[in-house]
Amino acid sequence: MASFWHDLKQELRDIWRGADNQWHHLSVAWRNLSRQGHNLGYVVMSIGGTLPERSGPPRSFLQRQLPLPPDPLSMQMVNSRFQRLGDATNVQGVVILLDGLATSLATLQNLRRSIERLRESGKEVVVFTPYLNNASYFVATAANRIVVPPGVEFEVFGLRTEASFYKDSLDKIGVSFDNIQISPYKSAFDMFDKSDMSPELHEQLSWLMDERFAMMVDSMAEGRNVPTAVIQSAIDQAPLPPERAIELGLFDAVAYEDELAYLLADKTQKKESEQEGKRPKATLTPWHTAVGQLTRRYRRVHPRKYIGVISLEGMITMGESVQPPIDLPIPLIGGATAGEATLTQLLREAEQDEELAALILHVDSGGGSALASDLIWRQVDRLRQKRPVLVYMGNAAASGGYYVAASANHIMAQTATITGSIGVVMGRASTAGLYEKLGIKQVALQRGAHAHLYSDSGPLSQEDRQLFLEMITRSYTQFKQVVAKGRGLPFEELDPICHGRVWTGRQAKAHELVDSHGDFVDAIAQAAKLAGLTINEHETVPVYNLYGSSNNYQLPNPYEPAENLLKLFTAERVQQLQGPLYLWPVVLRDKW
């Protein structure tokens, strides 16, 4: 009887959705008919800020009543707008006003790909920007034309990284730091126990900078159709005045924003204006005006299935995810956290949703707690046995961020994504010297041989260090087992690409740590392909961000026989340790 009602409910839902598709088709046709002959010319959009990949959850009723700042423009919103503009038959082109970008290279690559996709739809893309720095110019070179106001200089100076080391300062105040690491490439705590950059860290930062600089230069040169040597020479000579930059082919025109309409006038408009004795002028329409006047393309929506998106952003921790009101630029303290309690609940709900065709796990994290990473990984591993899981890596998916991704059916990243860092590190500060300088006497009583292990009352003894080393060795072995199983790589051959080494997405693909490169639109297409669904000009699949449906605790489903059988052939799970960290050597400051 339960099966009968379930099938009836599904049939009624299919009928309703089929009718909804037909109504949508008719409404699109009527909308387009009513907008025939209404040419919007160039639609003007402003893009800037941090550009998070996904939009945040809808604001509550109370939040909407407060004078809160608007949500930041996300890549999800940009891609949605660009698709609508690409579909519109009454739009000639798009003018993008770059207002200053404050994000990482992988996100900039996503924005470039979005612009390229808009051009592929037949629209001309013009970038107007008062900024000619690394970020803005990198994005601008994806456009057909680049226009800058007078007085702007070419200030693409290249890449530079700096590392600070606090050991000598800590010594002065009587604080010491024990850094327990299996490999010197796992350098998350080097800043606290070293006075200078280690050869391994220098080597690692060098190969990362070489890769990222090459990606940046190659993309700029390709976008402007000039040799890479021209871009490299311009970078070395920067700053350059606009006249010299135009001679080198670095951008196309110099004009104020109020002159864009005259600059973009085409030949037809020029002839008509000459006949009327007027100055030729193109039509410019701001996005907020154009959005209600765009023609649309009908795409049939799949009646039963959808692709879900869960975002894991920030440091991975035990407990609930937290988004602080401000992002503090303090190592290992500021920023959002990805709590295992929140993530495991979301993944369990996704696992039990029959309408979920595939899940995209969006990971933008440099790692964190080894235990939390393992608990999240377990839910990902369970889910992918029932339906496809695609991990899409953002600016970083390193250490614990890679751990949670390792068992996915498919891993996609941008070429500039920072990933890998497969290793473990632990650290413990000792404040005994500080208390002594302050004249504070500490007296401790203890029961249990190792009750002092996480205390900061003194430096680690040789026996203590050995205990910590054994703990991270077990965690490192577990990490490699997860990678070997998830990626189908020989366990005994992993060390050369592990031991904490950090890679770009391009290097990671060469090492078989990721499967493909692309932006989030590409990830959606790949997830649909894994699920056997079709996305093209005529058909689409709904894509929903998943934030959790309730505050009720979601129990995991019991182990299935297939899981029990599979478990017999896998290594023992990592011990429930609080100390080991799957953490990369760069501090993340992402918004969530």
Side-chain angles (χ1 to χ4, degrees), residues 148-373:
V148 301
V152 172
E153 299 210 340
F154 181 82
E155 295 184 337
V156 179
F157 295 118
L159 301 179
R160 175 183 173 87
T161 188
E162 297 179 349
S164 299
F165 297 90
Y166 306 111
K167 180 181 183 302
D168 295 341
S169 294
L170 294 175
D171 287 344
K172 291 179 180 180
I173 62 173
V175 176
S176 61
F177 193 88
D178 287 291
N179 181 13
I180 301 94
Q181 54 190 161
I182 292 178
S183 166
Y185 288 99
K186 195 68 176 176
S187 52
F189 291 141
D190 278 15
M191 67 180 81
F192 299 123
D193 84 319
K194 290 180 174 59
S195 300
D196 203 349
M197 189 178 293
S198 68
E200 292 80 8
L201 180 56
H202 185 277
E203 177 190 7
Q204 184 163 259
L205 291 177
S206 294
W207 80 53
L208 290 174
M209 287 189 69
D210 288 343
E211 270 280 288
R212 291 163 71 83
F213 185 70
M215 292 176 200
M216 186 177 79
V217 171
D218 290 346
S219 295
M220 291 175 178
E222 181 181 358
R224 295 303 300 168
N225 195 26
V226 299
T228 56
V230 171
I231 299 295
Q232 289 178 328
S233 176
I235 290 173
D236 290 336
Q237 296 176 50
L240 293 173
E243 298 79 12
R244 177 58 178 155
I246 287 181
E247 289 176 6
L248 294 173
L250 302 180
F251 54 85
D252 300 285
V254 175
Y256 288 106
E257 186 177 346
D258 57 83
E259 297 176 308
L260 284 175
Y262 304 110
L263 182 68
L264 298 179
D266 59 26
K267 293 180 180 179
T268 302
Q269 290 166 321
K270 289 179 180 179
K271 287 182 180 179
E272 293 175 352
S273 298
E274 287 174 0
Q275 293 173 358
E276 298 175 4
K278 298 178 181 179
R279 188 177 179 185
K281 185 170 66 171
T283 301
L284 301 184
T285 309
W287 165 258
H288 67 270
T289 301
V291 65
Q293 303 176 34
L294 299 173
T295 61
R296 308 189 78 166
R297 173 179 291 167
Y298 169 73
R299 290 180 175 86
R300 179 180 178 274
V301 179
H302 194 282
R304 288 195 179 186
K305 299 293 185 178
Y306 75 94
I307 294 172
V309 181
I310 292 176
S311 286
L312 186 161
E313 298 177 273
M315 180 174 284
I316 299 172
T317 63
M318 296 296 292
E320 301 288 335
S321 297
V322 175
Q323 172 59 59
I326 57 173
D327 189 7
L328 302 174
I330 303 174
L332 309 181
I333 297 177
T337 64
E340 54 77 34
T342 300
L343 270 299
T344 54
Q345 288 298 298
L346 282 172
L347 290 164
R348 286 174 186 174
E349 289 182 13
E351 180 187 349
Q352 298 173 30
D353 187 346
E354 295 180 0
E355 294 190 351
L356 179 70
L359 178 79
I360 298 176
L361 179 62
H362 165 229
V363 179
D364 202 334
S365 170
S369 163
L371 175 58
S373 300

Side-chain angles (χ1 to χ4, degrees), residues 24 27-45 77-94 118 123 285-298:
H24 179 58
S27 66
V28 168
W30 172 254
R31 178 190 182 92
N32 293 344
L33 184 64
S34 66
R35 284 160 177 74
Q36 280 187 351
H38 192 180
N39 184 16
L40 299 173
Y42 288 85
V43 176
V44 182
M45 279 183 56
M77 296 165 65
V78 170
N79 284 324
S80 175
R81 293 179 182 183
F82 279 8
Q83 183 182 57
R84 294 187 64 178
L85 290 168
D87 288 346
T89 58
N90 58 344
V91 172
Q92 176 183 349
V94 179
L118 187 56
K123 301 297 186 286
T285 309
W287 165 258
H288 67 270
T289 301
V291 65
Q293 303 176 34
L294 299 173
T295 61
R296 308 189 78 166
R297 173 179 291 167
Y298 169 73

Side-chain angles (χ1 to χ4, degrees), residues 44-51 73 95-102 111 127-133 135-136 139 257:
V44 182
M45 279 183 56
S46 176
I47 297 178
T50 57
L51 290 179
L73 181 69
V95 175
I96 297 175
L97 307 178
L98 286 184
D99 291 336
L101 297 162
L111 183 53
V127 165
F128 178 85
T129 177
Y131 305 95
L132 281 181
N133 51 24
S136 294
V139 171
E257 186 177 346

